[in-house]
C-alpha cells in the first residue's frame, strides 16, 4: 500500500505553461479593463461598461448555482436586490455618522447582505434540488419582492431609497462622483469577484459541487452530504450576487424593489444560459451580450422583449451549450487543423441568414408599428432605410425576404452540417474528438 | 472479534410488499463474502439497506459493532463502508480523473474546503493516480466518464468505490455484462484491491463466486436460506434445489 504507483509521480494536473497561460489571461483582462475607457471615453459607453461589469458578476454568481451545482433558481435577484439595499442603507449610515469607511469597501456590505439572507433561508431551500428547489426559489422571489413594497421603512416603497456616493469619505482623493471613477471601482470588483469565483471552482468544494450537479445520489456514497454542498453553494451565490447588487446601488445611487423582482431574476438566468453554463467564461459572454442588447434594443424598439424571447428559444433549441458551447465545439477542430473546412460554409451562410434575420425583424417591427401606433408613428427606420408600416410594399418586402432568406439559408445550413461532419471526422481520426 | 457487518432480523417492506424478511447475516472482518440468489431475490435491496440508501422497516444493522441502521449513506460511508452499484453510477460529465479524485477528497480530510486549491494537494493527486493505475484507466483520465466504454465504466465504478479507502467494500455485480477476459481481469483486480479488507460481493457468475469467496450466503425471496463456506454451499441440498439446480438446466 505504501508503494507509489510508478506513473503516479508523472501526473501533474496543471503543467507550468498552462498555469502561466492562466495568469496571463487574468493580467490581459485587467489591462483591458484599465484601458477600455481610454479607448471608448464617451459617457454612454462608460455607463454601458459599468452595467456590463455588474452583469458579469451577477451572471457568474448565478452560474455557481446553475452551471456548477445544477440548481435552477428563479429568484436569484433577491440576493442582488438585498445587496443593493444593504449598500444603500450602509452608505447613508456612513454619511450620517461620518464613519471612516470609503466607498470601495462598500460592495462588501452588499455581499454580506446577500450572504446572510442566503445563509438564513438557504438551508431549508436546498434540502431538495430539481423542481422543488426551482419552485421554492420562485416563491421566495415573489415573497421578497412583494414584502419590499410593504416594508416601506426598509425598502422605500415604489420610489426606493436614494443615497449619495460622494458623501462618503474619499479615497486617493477620488470622490466617485464622475462615472469614470465609478467605472474603475466596478472594474476592480469585477476582477476580484471573477477571480474569487473562478478559484472557488478549483477547490475541493467546487469539485464536489460538480459531482452533486452530475449525480447527487452517488455523492452520498463518497462521504458527502449533497444538502450541505448545495447550501454552501447557495450562500456563495448569494454573496457574489449581493456584491453585484451593491455595485448597482452605488452606480445609480438608488435601490428599489425592481432590483429584487422576477424580471431581474429572469434576466440573469437568460444571460447565464445564453452565455453557456458549462464553462466558467460562458456567463461572462452572456452578461456582455444581454446587457449590450438590453441597452441597445430598448432605445431602438418597443418590442425588445420579443427579441430576447426569440434569442432565448433559439439558444435553448439549437445550442443548449450557449455561446461558450458553440465556441468550444470548435476547439477540437482547431487542434486537429480541420477548422478550415467549416469556415467557408459559415461565410456562405452569412448573407442569406442575415437576409432572413432582416426580414423577420422588418416583419415584427411592421406588425408592432401597425398595431400599436396610430397616425404619424408609422415610419420604421431599419438599418438606415425608412419603411412605412402602412404601405403594402413594406409588408411584401418583409414576407419575401423572410421566406426567400429562409429557403436559401436552409441550403447553406445543410452545407455547414456536411462540412462539420467532415471536419469532425478528421478531428476524430486524430484523436481530438471522442 | 466483532463482525464487520451484522444484520439482525431485518425486515423491509415497500408499501404492502415485503421484500426482505427475517434477514440475518454476519460478515467477519477481513472476510470475502459472496451473496448469491436468483433475480429479484433482494440482493441489491440488502446492499441498499446496509449502505443506508434505504432504511429497514424493522431490525438492526451494525458496522464493526455500531448500529448504523437509520443513518444516512454519507454517515455510513464516513464510518468506513463503501459500495458500488449494479447499474453504473458515476459522474458522467466529469473526467475519469475528477471522478476518482472526488471519491478521494473526503477520506483525505479535505471535506468541504473552499480555501484550498484542489490541484495543489499532493496526497490527493498521488492517491488518485494510484487508484487510476490500479483500475487501468490512467491513460483515459481526461475522458468524461460518460464517454467510457461499458467495461471501463464498470472499472471506474470499482475505482470510485475503493478510492476512499473504506475497510468494508461492497460490490454489486461488478462483472455483470463483461466479457470472459474482462471478467477475469476484474476479478484479479478485486482480489488485489480488497486485500486486507472486508468484501461483500453480489455475483451471478458461479466461477467467480466459488473462486473468490471465503463464505457464501444464498438469498432467496428476501431470506437467507444458507450461509457457509463454498464447499458447504455446494453440498447443501436446499441450495441445490432453490438456486444451483435452477442454474444448471
Ligand atoms: N424501491 C423499491 N420499491 C418497490 N419495490 C422494490 C424497490 N426496490 C426493489 N424492489 C423490488 O424488490 C425485489 C428485489 O429487488 P433487488 O433489486 O434487490 O433484487 P436483486 O436480488 O438485486 O436482483 P437482480 O439479480 O436482478 O439484481 C424486486 O422484486 C424489486 O422489484
Ligand atoms: Mg441486484
Amino acid at each position: 500500500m505504501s508503494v507509489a504507483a510508478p506513473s503516479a509521480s508523472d501526473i501533474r494536473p496543471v503543467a507550468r505553461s498552462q498555469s502561466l497561460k492562466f495568469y496571463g489571461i487574468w493580467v490581459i483582462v485587467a489591462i483591458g479593463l484599465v484601458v477600455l475607457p481610454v479607448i471608448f471615453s464617451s459617457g454612454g459607453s462608460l455607463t454601458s461598461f459599468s452595467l456590463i461589469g455588474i452583469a458579469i458578476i451577477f451572471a457568474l454568481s448565478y452560474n455557481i448555482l446553475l452551471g456548477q451545482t445544477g440548481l435552477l433558481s428563479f429568484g436569484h435577484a433577491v440576493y442582488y436586490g438585498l445587496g443593493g439595499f444593504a449598500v444603500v442603507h450602509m452608505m447613508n449610515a456612513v454619511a450620517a455618522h461620518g464613519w471612516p469607511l470609503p466607498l470601495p469597501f462598500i460592495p462588501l456590505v452588499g455581499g454580506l447582505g446577500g450572504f446572510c439572507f442566503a445563509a438564513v433561508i438557504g438551508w431549508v431551500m436546498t434540502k431538495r434540488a430539481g423542481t422543488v428547489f426551482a419552485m421554492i426559489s420562485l416563491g421566495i422571489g415573489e415573497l421578497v419582492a412583494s414584502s419590499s413594497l410593504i416594508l416601506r421603512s426598509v425598502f422605500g416603497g415604489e420610489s426606493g431609497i436614494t443615497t449619495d456616493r460622494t458623501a462618503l469619505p474619499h479615497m486617493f482623493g477620488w470622490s466617485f462622483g464622475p462615472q469614470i471613477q465609478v467605472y474603475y471601482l466596478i472594474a476592480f470588483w469585477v476582477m476580484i469577484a471573477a477571480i474569487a469565483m473562478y478559484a472557488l471552482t478549483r477547490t475541493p468544494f467546487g469539485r464536489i459541487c460538480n459531482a452533486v450537479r452530475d449525480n447527487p445520489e452517488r455523492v452520498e456514497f463518497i462521504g458527502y452530504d449533497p444538502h450541505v454542498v448545495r447550501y454552501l453553494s447557495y450562500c456563495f451565490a448569494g454573496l457574489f450576487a449581493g456584491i453585484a447588487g451593491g455595485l448597482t446601488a452605488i452606480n445609480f445611487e438608488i435601490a428599489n424593489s425592481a432590483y429584487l423582482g422576477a424580471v431581474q431574476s429572469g434576466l440573469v438566468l437568460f444571460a447565464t444560459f445564453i452565455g453557456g453554463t458549462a464553462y466558467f467564461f460562458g456567463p461572462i459572454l452572456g452578461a456582455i451580450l444581454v446587457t449590450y442588447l438590453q441597452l441597445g434594443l430598448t432605445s431602438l424598439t418597443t418590442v425588445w422583449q420579443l427579441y430576447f424571447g426569440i434569442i432565448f428559444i433559439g439558444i435553448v433549441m439549437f445550442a443548449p451549450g450557449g455561446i461558450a458551447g458553440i465556441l468550444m465545439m470548435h476547439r477540437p477542430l482547431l487542434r486537429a487543423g480541420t477548422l478550415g473546412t467549416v469556415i467557408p460554409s459559415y461565410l456562405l451562410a452569412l448573407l442569406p441568414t442575415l437576409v432572413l434575420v432582416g426580414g423577420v425583424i422588418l416583419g415584427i417591427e411592421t406588425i408592432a408599428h401597425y398595431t400599436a401606433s396610430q397616425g404619424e408613428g408609422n415610419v420604421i427606420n431599419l438599418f438606415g432605410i425608412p419603411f412605412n408600416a402602412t404601405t403594402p410594399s413594406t409588408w411584401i418586402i418583409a414576407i419575401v425576404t423572410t421566406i426567400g432568406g429562409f429557403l436559401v439559408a436552409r441550403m447553406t445550413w445543410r452545407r455547414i452540417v456536411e462540412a462539420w461532419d467532415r471536419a469532425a471526422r478528421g478531428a476524430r481520426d486524430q484523436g481530438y474528438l471522442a | 472479534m466483532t463482525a464487520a457487518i451484522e444484520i439482525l432480523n431485518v425486515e423491509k417492506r415497500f408499501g404492502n410488499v415485503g421484500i426482505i424478511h427475517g434477514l440475518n447475516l454476519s460478515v467477519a472482518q477481513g472476510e470475502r463474502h459472496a451473496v448469491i440468489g436468483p433475480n429479484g431475490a433482494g440482493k441489491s435491496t440488502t446492499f441498499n439497506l446496509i449502505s443506508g440508501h434505504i432504511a429497514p422497516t424493522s431490525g438492526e444493522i451494525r458496522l464493526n459493532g455500531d448500529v448504523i441502521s437509520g443513518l444516512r449513506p454519507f454517515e455510513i460511508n464516513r464510518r468506513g463502508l463503501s459500495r458500488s452499484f449494479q447499474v453504473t453510477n458515476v459522474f458522467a460529465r466529469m473526467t475519469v480523473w475528477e471522478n476518482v479524485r472526488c471519491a478521494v477528497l473526503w477520506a483525505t480530510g479535505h471535506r468541504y474546503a473552499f480555501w484550498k486549491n484542489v490541484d495543489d494537494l499532493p496526497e490527493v493527486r498521488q492517491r488518485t493516480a494510484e487508484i487510476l493505475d490500479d483500475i487501468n484507466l490512467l491513460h483515459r483520465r481526461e475522458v468524461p466518464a460518460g464517454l467510457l466504454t461499458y467495461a471501463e465504466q464498470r472499472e471506474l465504478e470499482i475505482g470510485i468505490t475503493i478510492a476512499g479507502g473504506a475497510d468494508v467494500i461492497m460490490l454489486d455485480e461488478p462483472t455483470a455484462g463483461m466479457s470472459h477476459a474482462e471478467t477475469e481481469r476484474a476479478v484479479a483486480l478485486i482480489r488485489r484491491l480488497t486485500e486486507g479488507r472486508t468484501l461483500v460481493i453480489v455475483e451471478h457468475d458461479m466461477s467467480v463466486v466459488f473462486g473468490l469467496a471465503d463464505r457464501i450466503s444464498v438469498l432467496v425471496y428476501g431470506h437467507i436460506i444458507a450461509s457457509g463456506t463454498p464447499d458447504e454451499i455446494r453440498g447443501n441440498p436446499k441450495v441445490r434445489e432453490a438456486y444451483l439446480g435452477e442454474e444448471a438446466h
Side-chain angles (χ1 to χ4, degrees):
Chain A
M1 284 279 144
S2 63
V3 187
S7 33
S9 50
D10 311 339
I11 305 297
R12 267 227 312 267
V14 186
R16 191 166 306 247
S17 67
Q18 223 171 331
S19 76
L20 215 64
K21 209 162 83 184
F22 168 71
Y23 288 115
I25 289 173
W26 289 113
V27 171
I28 290 168
V29 169
I31 294 172
L33 287 176
V34 171
V35 300
L36 206 55
V38 181
I39 303 168
F40 306 93
S41 53
S42 77
S45 34
L46 274 183
T47 310
S48 306
F49 293 150
S50 304
L51 294 181
I52 287 173
I54 293 167
I56 287 173
I57 301 179
F58 193 27
L60 283 174
S61 81
Y62 188 71
N63 206 38
I64 295 177
L65 297 178
L66 184 60
Q68 307 289 340
T69 321
L71 290 170
L72 175 64
S73 167
F74 290 120
H76 197 47
V78 164
Y79 304 94
Y80 175 84
L82 291 179
F85 279 103
V87 157
V88 167
H89 284 295
M90 189 63 178
M91 283 165 72
N92 289 341
V94 168
H97 298 97
W99 291 337
L101 187 63
L103 194 67
F105 296 101
I106 291 291
L108 267 184
V109 176
L112 207 64
F115 177 83
C116 288
F117 192 66
V120 168
I121 207 168
W123 185 252
V124 181
M125 287 198 63
T126 53
K127 249 196 175 74
R128 301 273 301 277
T131 315
V132 176
F133 173 82
M135 290 301 121
I136 298 177
S137 73
L138 189 65
I140 297 284
E142 285 302 304
L143 192 83
V144 174
S146 55
S147 3
S148 74
L149 291 173
I150 301 164
L151 299 169
R152 290 187 159 271
S153 56
V154 185
F155 297 102
E158 302 273 357
S159 53
I161 293 179
T162 55
T163 185
D164 176 7
R165 63 183 178 233
T166 58
L168 274 70
H170 295 183
M171 197 167 148
F172 320 122
W174 282 21
S175 68
F176 293 100
Q179 186 65 33
I180 179 84
Q181 295 183 0
V182 176
Y183 165 80
Y184 278 118
L185 173 69
I186 291 171
F188 168 76
W189 277 99
V190 169
M191 278 308 283
I192 299 278
I195 290 173
M197 282 188 267
Y198 180 76
L200 193 63
T201 67
R202 303 306 315 165
T203 63
F205 163 71
R207 301 291 82 211
I208 293 296
C209 282
N210 283 185
V212 168
R213 172 199 68 197
D214 279 10
N215 191 345
E217 180 194 68
R218 186 62 194 259
V219 165
E220 293 204 52
F221 294 90
I222 56 171
Y224 283 92
D225 183 354
H227 183 195
V228 172
V229 176
R230 285 194 291 263
Y231 175 65
L232 290 174
S233 174
Y234 198 72
C235 292
F236 278 114
L239 169 79
F240 289 106
I243 292 176
L247 288 168
T248 311
I250 291 173
N251 187 58
F252 291 123
E253 299 187 298
I254 187 173
N256 61 45
S257 56
Y259 285 18
L260 30 76
V263 173
Q264 200 67 35
S265 292
L267 270 176
V268 71
L269 163 62
F270 186 70
T272 309
F273 197 87
I274 285 187
T277 58
Y279 298 94
F280 182 78
F281 67 93
I284 299 179
L285 300 182
I288 295 172
L289 181 77
V290 168
T291 312
Y292 200 77
L293 277 181
Q294 198 189 7
L295 295 173
L297 283 180
T298 42
S299 59
L300 283 179
T301 169
T302 49
V303 289
W304 56 276
Q305 281 150 316
L306 184 64
Y307 292 105
F308 268 30
I310 292 173
I311 295 171
F312 191 60
I313 293 169
I315 295 269
V316 170
M317 284 176 57
F318 301 111
I323 302 167
I326 294 175
L327 291 177
M328 296 306 273
M329 245 165 66
H330 294 85
R331 202 162 66 159
L333 305 194
L334 187 68
R335 284 199 190 145
T338 57
L339 193 60
T341 24
V342 287
I343 298 289
S345 67
Y346 286 170
L347 295 177
L348 195 67
L350 192 64
L351 188 65
T353 308
L354 284 179
V355 169
L356 167 63
V357 170
V360 170
I361 293 175
L362 184 60
I364 291 173
E365 290 302 320
T366 307
I367 294 168
H369 277 255
Y370 189 77
T371 52
S373 58
Q374 291 85 20
E376 78 284 2
N378 275 332
V379 177
I380 308 157
N381 206 329
L382 205 63
F383 316 118
I385 309 163
F387 292 94
N388 191 323
T390 50
T391 54
S393 63
T394 302
W395 292 75
I396 292 169
I397 292 172
I399 293 169
V400 168
T401 46
T402 303
I403 296 176
F406 175 71
L407 291 177
V408 180
R410 200 171 52 165
M411 287 194 285
T412 61
W413 294 340
R414 289 211 187 104
R415 286 182 74 111
I416 293 183
V417 173
E418 285 162 19
W420 244 102
D421 284 346
R422 251 176 295 133
R425 214 174 308 130
R428 213 168 286 131
D429 290 345
Q430 295 174 54
Y432 288 107
L433 200 62
Chain B
M1 200 161 76
T2 52
I5 296 176
E6 190 140 39
I7 302 179
L8 299 166
N9 250 323
V10 162
E11 197 95 23
K12 180 66 199 179
R13 309 178 70 82
F14 291 113
N16 275 331
V17 192
I19 300 295
I20 302 287
H21 359 248
L23 187 68
N24 286 287
L25 177 69
S26 177
V27 179
Q29 289 186 8
E31 174 177 295
R32 291 206 187 93
H33 197 110
V35 177
I36 61 173
N39 290 109
K43 304 181 294 294
S44 296
T45 304
T46 303
F47 266 40
N48 289 340
L49 286 165
I50 298 172
S51 61
H53 199 31
I54 53 177
T57 310
S58 67
E60 198 172 271
I61 301 170
R62 292 165 180 268
L63 177 68
N64 297 323
D66 302 326
V67 178
I68 55 164
S69 35
L71 294 184
R72 302 278 303 276
F74 53 87
E75 294 171 308
I76 295 172
N77 179 269
R78 290 172 198 170
R79 290 170 181 233
L81 182 144
S82 184
R83 68 164 292 190
S84 76
F85 288 80
Q86 183 172 355
V87 178
T88 304
N89 202 354
V90 297
F91 307 111
R93 282 167 64 189
M94 302 172 79
T95 64
V96 170
W97 175 272
E98 299 239 40
N99 268 267
V100 173
R101 182 168 62 184
C102 281
V104 163
L105 284 172
W106 186 276
T108 43
H110 298 294
R111 305 187 173 203
Y112 302 106
F114 50 79
W115 54 89
K116 304 174 186 170
N117 182 350
V118 74
D119 295 320
D120 237 16
L121 306 169
E123 79 282 19
V124 170
R125 189 190 315 157
Q126 172 85 15
R127 188 134 152 201
T128 308
E130 277 172 28
I131 301 283
L132 284 176
D133 201 26
D134 280 336
I135 59 173
N136 295 315
L137 285 180
L138 203 48
H139 65 292
R140 300 279 274 165
R141 64 182 177 278
E142 297 303 336
V143 180
L147 297 181
L148 293 178
T149 66
Y150 178 77
E152 285 172 334
Q153 286 196 3
R154 295 307 296 165
E155 274 160 358
L156 179 59
E157 180 75 39
I158 297 175
I160 293 173
T161 307
I162 57 157
D167 311 318
V168 181
I169 304 289
M170 301 178 56
L171 303 177
D172 195 351
E173 303 200 21
T175 69
M178 286 189 179
S179 71
H180 188 69
E182 284 164 351
T183 299
E184 241 166 46
R185 210 173 58 160
V187 170
L189 175 74
I190 292 166
R191 190 188 296 279
R192 187 158 50 85
L193 294 180
T194 57
E195 199 67 54
R197 309 192 204 187
T198 309
L199 171 70
V200 184
I201 184 170
V202 169
E203 187 53 70
H204 277 300
D205 186 329
M206 284 308 131
S207 62
V208 171
V209 169
F210 284 96
L212 192 67
D214 303 322
R215 287 175 68 81
I216 299 172
S217 290
V218 185
L219 190 67
V220 178
Y221 293 126
H223 190 80
I224 290 193
I225 59 163
S227 201
T229 64
D231 286 336
E232 286 166 7
I233 293 299
R234 215 180 261 122
N236 187 317
K238 261 201 318 200
V239 175
R240 298 189 76 88
E241 182 194 338
Y243 186 66
L244 294 178
E246 198 181 282
E247 281 279 303
H249 65 75

